[in-house]
Amino acid sequence: MTDATTPTQTPPEPIEAPQEPIAAPPLPYMLRANLREYRKRLGLWRILLALGLTVLFFFKLGFLGWLLSVAGIALIIVIILWFLGKRTLEVTSSELVYRSALGKARNVAYTDIEGVKVFVNYYEPTFGVAPRVTIGLKKGEPLSLYALYWPIDDLDKLLAVLRDKSVPTEYYADPATYAMIAQQFPKYATLIERHPWRIAWAIVGAIVVIVTVAVVGFEFWW
């Protein structure tokens, strides 16, 4: 269900489901997050670019501040990737059981699902095009599975199960971005996608505060 293309500003239109759908696997079936595709697309240049951007901390906080900021950013990235890679989704005969990296379970009965939208050409500016499956719920935040972190074969099997459970599913071949999804399908957008700038500024602010406190504390003790 992949097809590389570039995004446009036109709204995505639903298409027909694949003509030869995959068979649903025996249940229960376990999906495990996998960062193989993420690491493949990351590339050395992105790491070098990220280090280059930290030069701003060097001029603002000096060498020590820069060093601590790099260490802090690296730690945050490692923690985020750890959380992304430890997630699982168990598909049973009656519900979906999503577990976070800390083991916290979120149970979603099939009857609680409003619908599923498959964005075949979901476009993420940093990593390009990859399929995205978003499960919208009648109440609460949606479950969004991005092929950058979840194996495509597993996503196809999940869709097969949802099909057999008569869950309404729409496929979109047109390029789609998180901003377009948040605007046109708000119930299928995550909290971060609905308020990206608030989250981004909160993270930046937290990093600045942590680095500043660390620098002041270091200078005080030494």
Side-chain angles (χ1 to χ4, degrees):
M1 69 179 172
T2 59
D3 179 23
T5 184
T6 53
T8 65
Q9 297 301 318
T10 58
E13 294 292 338
I15 61 173
E16 293 184 1
Q19 297 300 315
E20 298 181 1
I22 189 172
L27 301 179
Y29 183 77
M30 182 71 75
L31 287 78
R32 300 182 185 278
N34 188 310
L35 300 183
R36 186 180 298 111
E37 183 65 22
Y38 176 87
R39 289 193 294 265
K40 184 189 303 182
R41 298 195 188 192
L42 182 60
L44 178 61
W45 72 271
R46 299 180 194 275
I47 299 176
L48 295 177
L49 177 61
L51 290 175
L53 293 176
T54 62
V55 172
L56 296 174
F57 288 101
F58 177 82
F59 290 107
K60 184 69 175 179
L61 302 172
F63 175 76
L64 178 60
W66 172 81
L67 191 63
L68 291 174
S69 68
V70 171
I73 293 173
L75 179 61
I76 291 175
I77 292 175
V78 169
I79 292 175
I80 292 175
L81 293 180
W82 183 81
F83 272 90
L84 291 175
K86 290 295 182 178
R87 297 171 298 167
T88 64
L89 180 66
E90 183 179 7
V91 184
T92 72
S93 59
S94 60
E95 63 180 359
L96 304 177
V97 183
Y98 173 86
R99 293 186 182 278
S100 67
L102 298 178
K104 183 178 180 180
R106 181 183 180 190
N107 299 64
V108 177
Y110 294 114
T111 54
D112 293 332
I113 298 176
E114 180 179 272
V116 177
K117 295 190 183 298
V118 182
F119 301 99
V120 180
N121 290 302
Y122 175 69
Y123 178 79
E124 202 280 330
T126 306
F127 294 99
V129 175
R132 163 176 165 165
V133 176
T134 301
I135 302 172
L137 306 181
K138 296 176 182 178
K139 293 182 179 180
E141 287 289 298
L143 288 176
S144 188
L145 307 177
Y146 183 28
L148 196 63
Y149 311 114
W150 300 85
I152 291 180
D153 291 344
D154 284 344
L155 295 181
D156 284 332
K157 293 176 181 178
L158 169 63
L159 291 172
V161 173
L162 294 173
R163 177 200 66 217
D164 290 354
K165 296 295 182 180
S166 300
V167 175
T169 302
E170 291 183 325
Y171 289 77
Y172 295 85
D174 292 336
T177 63
Y178 77 86
M180 294 168 61
I181 294 172
Q183 180 180 12
Q184 299 175 39
F185 311 111
K187 294 196 68 173
Y188 293 82
T190 63
L191 177 63
I192 294 177
E193 292 170 338
R194 295 196 302 271
H195 307 287
W197 288 108
R198 295 182 186 179
I199 304 297
W201 280 114
I203 293 174
V204 172
I207 293 175
V208 172
V209 170
I210 292 173
V211 170
T212 302
V213 170
V215 171
V216 172
F218 183 86
E219 293 179 347
F220 175 80
W221 288 106
W222 293 91

